[in-house]
Amino acid sequence: MTALEFHGVSVRLGRGRRAVTVVDDVTLTVPSGGVTGLVGESGCGKTTLARAAVGLVPLSGGAIHPRSRVQLVFQDPYSSLDPRMTVGAAIAEALPRRTRSDEVSRLLDLVGLDPALAVRLPRHLSGGQRQRVALARALTARPEVVIADEITSALDVSVQGLVLNLVREIQRELGLTMLFISHNLAVVRYVSDHVAVMRAGRIVESGPVEQVLSEPADAYTRTLLAAVPTLRSAPGA
């Protein structure tokens, strides 16, 4: 198993005077074999950090280890799959030809899908099924680290719990190191061992999930917690 380590990572997007620092001197360790949740408001740099980890955006400073054996599962299950490719073909792209059929069936079964779906096109699947396919595709490379970027935010509430349970089961079964990105503190608390809180491109607080979310040290973390809906604060309660 492998830890995912960010050392003083910075990312600037744009050119010249219009360049903006989106990730600012982030140092964070995702412990080997565990799940670390990364939370923060939209636009705080969470997705940019994830993309930097897999080489989709260049670093302007710092280092990330490892840069191989890391796979990213994207947020939108509707745009992350090629609509012209069958489920089986999408999963099999990175597999040796002689093992493709058996491995596609194994991976579909691993993510709780009927292997018969391999001949279907993405448009014939529900959002939850598509996200499972995206997860199966990420696992073809047998990664040691998986980054899940808001993978339940585009799904119906009734499906989110099923996908979260699946993620927990697969992470434990395969012993994966996982960075789980979400703006939903309840989701992060459910799946994570540790949590890091991001604001305006910087990590403002990190530690064991129960410690940070029960006794937050940073004012921004307290603000995020106060914004979580409760039965008492819900309209009409």
Side-chain angles (χ1 to χ4, degrees), residues 31-43:
S32 174
V35 182
T36 293
L38 180 62
V39 298
E41 295 172 306
S42 296

Side-chain angles (χ1 to χ4, degrees), residues 64-102:
I64 302 173
H65 302 290
R67 295 298 294 270
S68 61
R69 304 296 298 273
V70 180
Q71 289 290 312
L72 173 61
V73 183
F74 294 93
Q75 174 179 351
D76 187 356
Y78 296 94
S79 62
S80 63
L81 298 175
D82 188 331
R84 300 163 297 180
M85 297 180 70
T86 64
V87 166
I91 295 173
E93 280 188 292
L95 296 172
R97 287 187 177 276
R98 61 184 177 82
T99 63
R100 281 183 178 178
S101 180
D102 289 343

Side-chain angles (χ1 to χ4, degrees), residues 47-72:
T47 292
T48 300
L49 185 67
R51 288 175 175 270
V54 294
L56 292 179
V57 295
L59 303 183
S60 59
I64 302 173
H65 302 290
R67 295 298 294 270
S68 61
R69 304 296 298 273
V70 180
Q71 289 290 312
L72 173 61

Side-chain angles (χ1 to χ4, degrees), residues 11-30:
V11 176
R12 287 178 62 81
L13 300 180
R15 295 182 177 181
R17 294 181 179 179
R18 295 187 176 182
V20 177
T21 299
V22 181
V23 175
D24 188 5
D25 194 25
V26 166
T27 294
L28 175 68
T29 296
V30 181

Side-chain angles (χ1 to χ4, degrees), residues 77-88 90 117-131 133:
Y78 296 94
S79 62
S80 63
L81 298 175
D82 188 331
R84 300 163 297 180
M85 297 180 70
T86 64
V87 166
L117 292 177
V119 299
R120 299 278 188 91
L121 290 170
R123 68 172 178 266
H124 297 139
L125 305 181
S126 67
Q129 288 174 324
R130 292 187 195 196
Q131 201 58 289
V133 172

